[in-house]
Amino acid sequence: KKISYEVRKGLHYFFFFFAVAMCFHVPVTAIPNGGFIAPILGTCIVVYTLDTAYVYCFMTEKVETTSFHVLSSGVRISMPVSDRFLSHSQRGLRAGYAYVNIPWVNDKQWHPYSLFEDPSDP
């Protein structure tokens, strides 16, 4: 049986708490027999937390108006982009990704999609 998307994503988030617990599992004085876990894994946790906070605070936007176009190979979602996204594209960063939630399908599922400029609609 396949594991649902929500369960898999939840298990990935649970790893954060597992990593914090691992930092306290072996004393630092136990080097070379595992005492390196706390400083190395602790550094990874701090970097991950800072990156997540930055993305949440400075790179998250809500888009109200979208249009969906059914294609033979999938679905194209068109939406207006913010000035911040446009300023990134002017610096040469012409792509990215977005987590998309379609509430009438499932209001708890967020799926990543690639973003890029449509060459036929500049």
Side-chain angles (χ1 to χ4, degrees):
K1 181 180 172 184
K2 291 176 110 177
I3 298 174
S4 71
Y5 172 81
E6 293 80 12
V7 170
R8 288 184 304 149
K9 188 158 180 136
L11 289 173
H12 280 87
Y13 287 132
F14 181 70
F15 181 77
F16 180 83
F17 300 106
F18 174 75
V20 170
M22 287 298 295
C23 286
F24 298 101
H25 183 66
V26 178
V28 178
T29 58
I31 290 179
N33 298 322
F36 57 86
I37 290 175
I40 291 176
L41 204 50
T43 302
C44 293
I45 291 167
V46 168
V47 168
Y48 172 79
T49 303
L50 291 174
D51 179 61
T52 301
Y54 178 80
V55 168
Y56 183 78
C57 293
F58 300 110
M59 297 179 71
T60 302
E61 300 176 13
K62 183 177 183 180
V63 176
E64 296 288 343
T65 307
T66 59
S67 62
F68 295 86
H69 304 280
V70 178
L71 306 172
S72 62
S73 61
V75 176
R76 180 178 66 191
I77 302 172
S78 300
M79 64 187 142
V81 294
S82 67
D83 292 335
R84 182 171 46 192
F85 186 80
L86 289 174
S87 70
H88 284 292
S89 66
Q90 289 171 354
R91 288 184 283 165
L93 305 171
R94 298 202 176 272
Y97 70 95
Y99 283 99
V100 177
N101 172 267
I102 304 172
W104 60 87
V105 175
N106 188 333
D107 64 344
K108 294 179 179 50
Q109 287 186 353
W110 290 83
H111 295 280
Y113 287 88
S114 298
L115 297 177
F116 57 91
E117 291 183 87
D118 186 355
S120 66
D121 185 20

